[in-house]
Amino acid sequence: MNGTEMNIYHKNFLCWQLYRKDCCNLIVPDYSNWHSTNLLFYEQKSTQLLQKKQIEDKVTCTLSSLLCCRLREGYLIKRANVRDEILEICFVLLWKSSVLLEYIVTCPWLTKSLSASNTIQYTISIEAPYEFLHDITCLSKKPLKSQYRQGVVNRFWATLTSLTEGDSMLAHFSWFPEFGWTWYSVPDTIRSGMPVFYLSAYPSPSTVQLSDAACPQFGQIWQPVVSLNPLQWARWMHTQRVTLILSHDRPLPRHLHQANQSGRFQCVQSRQAAAVLYAMLKNWATFVLVENHTYVQFIYREADKPPVSFSLIRINCKALCVILNIAFAAGTEGVVRHNVVVDLLDRLSKLTLPNRPTEQKETPSCTIIHKSLEKILIRYERMPTDLNSIIFPDGIQTISNRLTPMLGGILTTSLSRYLYHNRWIWHVKRPFVQTIPGIILPRLNITAIARILSTITKIRLAEGFNFTYSAAGIINMVLEVQMQGVGENDTSYPCIIQYILFPPHIASNTTLERDSTSEEDTDEGTADGEVSVEDVEGSGDFQIISEIWIEPQCGYSQLPAQSTAMYLHHLQYYEIPDAVSIYILHLIFLLFN
């Protein structure tokens, strides 16, 4: 097949033809209506659809913002016409099979109708079978007994509520910049660095409270913005994301691989890098909405004129992985958005940690990741209950035939069906020690195994891996490599490699003892279900356990020439685990011989 020719899947999904009538015999296809009938189901009968007007209201906003909002929500333009200088646009959304929402807007057709705020009348109608219309209108007389039907009705009303709330937010955003003096007239206290809001635990967690009572009008304007969930930003604003891995604090914790006397492990933290990041964002922003949380920067076309737009940054931290959610006011030109993001990335790449006297070179405070790392990040909260079992996509388990849950919960179980993963368990046999009078022979213990883990960790850091998560002595390190295709003109794509290192483990009957321990004993006793070292250190062999999780990608890995991980160069994704395994096995052999 020609590389530029679209197949049936491209046409259905990319051209939005999945639910439209197939009119291949016509010169001009009619794509004005949704079509959900599948002709392969011959017994399916088309039902008669009735139409009912549900809501009639008006909203004050720009027509372009309303158009963008509806199209982002999945609506299609069914028809548009101008009559007597009145513009009418009909949007349609296939909400459910045989249930359509029609959203009709009317407004005066002027030269600047798209960019100027005006009052827009809108009508929401439902086109559906009689049974559905009866369910949504007659609940007060006869409640539904079917939970499924009740759930459908609840989702329908939630959709209408979201639609009306979205229109009120459109009206709020339409004030900027046309009537936006209250948006950009920043009070002096706020301009000097004081945040507009602060997060409060009362009356509910993450509730925003006004920090300066002297500027209630400015706070009233920006409170709806700071209260928005970043997942909903795309309905009203242009959005982008930047993923970062913060550099770990130096030096590393003493009890990272070996528990302290109370049986607890220390976690890797990034307080130094976070402080540098927050200081940079505060200097970048025009003002701070919420300290260490949300920042706003005005965008000017001319220095002595009011701003024409604004950009917004919301920080979301997941351990050492940080997501910067970036949003721009609707209507902001693409080149302006591009320049702002490029400037921000340049600032982030130049951030460094404060130098120590012993350090010869500057240490970057963060690493920019091109993939959505937080969505595929493996996070273990405690040691696995069964080290010999991994659930594969087909449900078949290796080594162990027992039906055991996946180690990291539902999220890890889902990721195991997407990410290519391996686990290695190295058994370190205890040497046979013969007692010699007057001579004390060295003894293999937890401390020796912890030193091996520390050495492996230092090697991973030197190869370019970064800490992303740690809990209960289990650490996750990530390296992003580029995968180059086989063709000469193939572009490279980033690929995430996650390396998991577990704390020292003793192969003995401790697994059974841990299984019989109650949850209360686990929380109040030693860390995360681990029995004390004194009880089991002499009862079995040691185990060094590690895992690797890789996002499947076509092509061969490309590493820079100066990288210390050149043994991973020009490998396919499924070859990387074996290369890492052989390298670590060689290291363990050298340490014990």
Side-chain angles (χ1 to χ4, degrees):
M1 179 183 292
N2 189 355
T4 59
E5 184 180 349
M6 298 179 67
N7 58 34
I8 185 174
Y9 302 103
H10 294 149
K11 294 177 181 178
N12 282 334
F13 288 100
L14 301 182
C15 298
W16 291 43
Q17 296 181 16
L18 185 62
Y19 291 112
R20 292 173 170 174
K21 291 182 179 179
D22 188 6
C23 303
C24 299
N25 297 327
L26 300 178
I27 299 177
V28 181
D30 180 15
Y31 291 155
S32 60
N33 294 318
W34 287 97
H35 186 68
S36 60
T37 303
N38 191 335
L39 299 179
L40 297 179
F41 293 92
Y42 297 102
E43 296 182 358
Q44 180 181 356
K45 298 180 180 179
S46 58
T47 57
Q48 183 179 2
L49 301 183
L50 305 177
Q51 193 172 56
K52 178 180 180 296
K53 183 184 296 185
Q54 191 67 37
I55 298 175
E56 191 171 7
D57 205 344
K58 58 185 177 181
V59 60
T60 302
C61 65
T62 63
L63 183 58
S64 62
S65 63
L66 182 62
L67 284 170
C68 293
C69 186
R70 293 290 88 87
L71 293 176
R72 286 168 180 159
E73 292 171 344
Y75 285 80
L76 289 179
I77 298 179
K78 184 177 181 179
R79 64 177 183 271
N81 54 66
V82 179
R83 183 180 301 171
D84 298 331
E85 297 186 352
I86 297 296
L87 173 66
E88 179 183 285
I89 303 177
C90 177
F91 299 91
V92 62
L93 173 68
L94 182 64
W95 184 79
K96 191 178 178 294
S97 180
S98 302
V99 178
L100 297 95
L101 293 180
E102 276 197 357
Y103 187 94
I104 303 175
V105 299
T106 56
C107 65
W109 175 247
L110 302 174
T111 308
K112 298 182 178 180
S113 292
L114 288 174
S115 58
S117 293
N118 53 53
T119 301
I120 300 176
Q121 304 282 343
Y122 69 88
T123 302
I124 302 176
S125 301
I126 310 160
E127 189 174 2
Y130 170 80
E131 295 79 11
F132 181 82
L133 296 177
H134 179 272
D135 286 348
I136 65 174
T137 55
C138 301
L139 289 180
S140 58
K141 298 180 181 179
K142 186 178 181 181
L144 296 175
K145 296 181 180 180
S146 171
Q147 295 182 357
Y148 171 77
R149 291 172 64 187
Q150 185 63 53
V152 171
V153 171
N154 293 340
R155 288 195 300 271
F156 173 79
W157 288 115
T159 301
L160 288 188
T161 302
S162 174
L163 198 59
T164 54
E165 290 178 352
D167 289 342
S168 63
M169 190 59 66
L170 278 176
H172 186 77
F173 278 115
S174 66
W175 297 353
F176 185 93
E178 188 175 355
F179 307 105
W181 66 271
T182 51
W183 284 79
Y184 53 77
S185 56
V186 185
D188 294 337
T189 56
I190 304 302
R191 193 178 292 276
S192 62
M194 183 178 179
V196 182
F197 303 98
Y198 67 92
L199 293 178
S200 174
Y202 181 83
S204 62
S206 302
T207 303
V208 293
Q209 301 288 341
L210 190 64
S211 59
D212 188 1
C215 51
Q217 189 175 13
F218 189 75
Q220 183 181 5
I221 285 291
W222 286 97
Q223 185 167 8
V225 179
V226 75
S227 301
L228 279 178
N229 189 326
L231 297 177
Q232 299 177 341
W233 282 2
R235 297 178 63 185
W236 306 284
M237 297 182 286
H238 306 283
T239 60
Q240 287 184 260
R241 291 160 49 91
V242 175
T243 304
L244 306 173
I245 298 179
L246 297 181
S247 298
H248 61 276
D249 290 344
R250 291 160 170 77
L252 286 173
R254 179 181 178 184
H255 297 285
L256 180 62
H257 299 290
Q258 183 179 3
N260 57 20
Q261 293 181 353
S262 62
R264 301 285 176 180
F265 292 91
Q266 292 178 286
C267 297
V268 181
Q269 297 185 351
S270 57
R271 291 172 294 185
Q272 301 170 1
V276 174
L277 175 64
Y278 294 145
M280 185 278 290
L281 291 177
K282 191 171 184 178
N283 182 62
W284 168 87
T286 306
F287 64 93
V288 181
L289 267 182
V290 181
E291 191 74 35
N292 301 341
H293 186 267
T294 309
Y295 301 83
V296 176
Q297 184 194 62
F298 288 141
I299 299 174
Y300 296 87
R301 185 171 287 119
E302 299 180 23
D304 56 342
K305 296 292 182 64
V308 295
S309 184
F310 67 87
S311 57
L312 180 72
I313 289 183
R314 174 79 58 84
I315 300 176
N316 184 15
C317 295
K318 294 186 177 181
L320 283 77
C321 181
V322 175
I323 301 95
L324 300 183
N325 296 286
I326 310 172
F328 298 87
T332 307
E333 295 87 346
V335 64
V336 175
R337 304 197 305 268
H338 175 76
N339 292 337
V340 170
V341 174
V342 168
D343 175 69
L344 183 63
L345 292 176
D346 182 64
R347 290 170 181 254
L348 292 171
S349 63
K350 295 178 180 178
L351 293 180
T352 57
L353 295 178
N355 265 345
R356 295 178 178 271
T358 57
E359 295 178 345
Q360 300 294 331
K361 61 179 182 179
E362 293 181 336
T363 303
S365 64
C366 62
T367 301
I368 300 174
I369 301 295
H370 301 89
K371 282 295 185 71
S372 298
L373 173 61
E374 76 285 353
K375 296 182 180 179
I376 60 173
L377 184 63
I378 302 297
R379 297 186 290 270
Y380 283 102
E381 300 295 338
R382 60 180 62 198
M383 280 294 293
T385 56
D386 187 0
L387 295 173
N388 296 323
S389 174
I390 296 181
I391 300 178
F392 284 90
D394 58 357
I396 300 175
Q397 301 185 31
T398 61
I399 302 177
S400 173
N401 292 324
R402 295 186 302 166
L403 185 59
T404 55
M406 192 59 187
L407 313 177
I410 297 176
L411 177 61
T412 308
T413 304
S414 301
L415 291 176
S416 69
R417 284 139 172 84
Y418 169 67
L419 300 178
Y420 184 80
H421 55 283
N422 286 74
R423 179 188 294 157
W424 302 279
I425 302 177
W426 289 283
H427 292 268
V428 182
K429 294 290 184 181
R430 293 178 181 273
F432 177 76
V433 179
Q434 183 178 4
T435 305
I436 303 176
I439 299 178
I440 301 177
L441 296 178
R443 175 168 95 93
L444 185 64
N445 54 17
I446 289 285
T447 303
I449 302 299
R451 289 198 190 100
I452 297 176
L453 299 180
S454 178
T455 303
I456 295 175
T457 301
K458 292 178 181 178
I459 293 174
R460 292 281 92 90
L461 292 175
E463 292 172 347
F465 282 81
N466 293 279
F467 289 109
T468 52
Y469 189 80
S470 66
I474 308 169
I475 63 172
N476 184 331
M477 309 178 75
V478 164
L479 174 66
E480 186 178 59
V481 298
Q482 296 293 324
M483 303 294 288
Q484 182 69 41
V486 294
E488 295 182 359
N489 299 325
D490 286 351
T491 57
S492 59
Y493 300 94
C495 176
I496 295 291
I497 302 175
Q498 301 186 61
Y499 184 79
I500 314 292
L501 197 60
F502 292 89
H505 188 262
I506 298 175
S508 64
N509 294 328
T510 57
T511 303
L512 298 177
E513 296 175 14
R514 182 166 60 246
D515 291 342
S516 63
T517 305
S518 65
E519 254 185 66
E520 295 180 358
D521 297 335
T522 299
D523 294 336
E524 297 177 0
T526 55
D528 298 289
E530 291 292 337
V531 293
S532 62
V533 174
E534 291 80 3
D535 295 336
V536 300
E537 190 169 344
S539 62
D541 296 329
F542 291 102
Q543 291 179 334
I544 298 176
I545 307 166
S546 65
E547 287 181 359
I548 192 166
W549 297 70
I550 303 176
E551 181 186 17
Q553 289 279 0
C554 295
Y556 295 86
S557 58
Q558 304 294 317
L559 280 86
Q562 66 273 16
S563 173
T564 59
M566 287 304 295
Y567 65 92
L568 298 178
H569 181 66
H570 204 67
L571 297 179
Q572 298 189 59
Y573 76 91
Y574 55 83
E575 297 175 327
I576 293 177
D578 291 337
V580 174
S581 175
I582 295 173
Y583 188 80
I584 296 301
L585 184 62
H586 179 65
L587 170 65
I588 296 175
F589 178 80
L590 293 177
L591 292 174
F592 281 96
N593 292 278

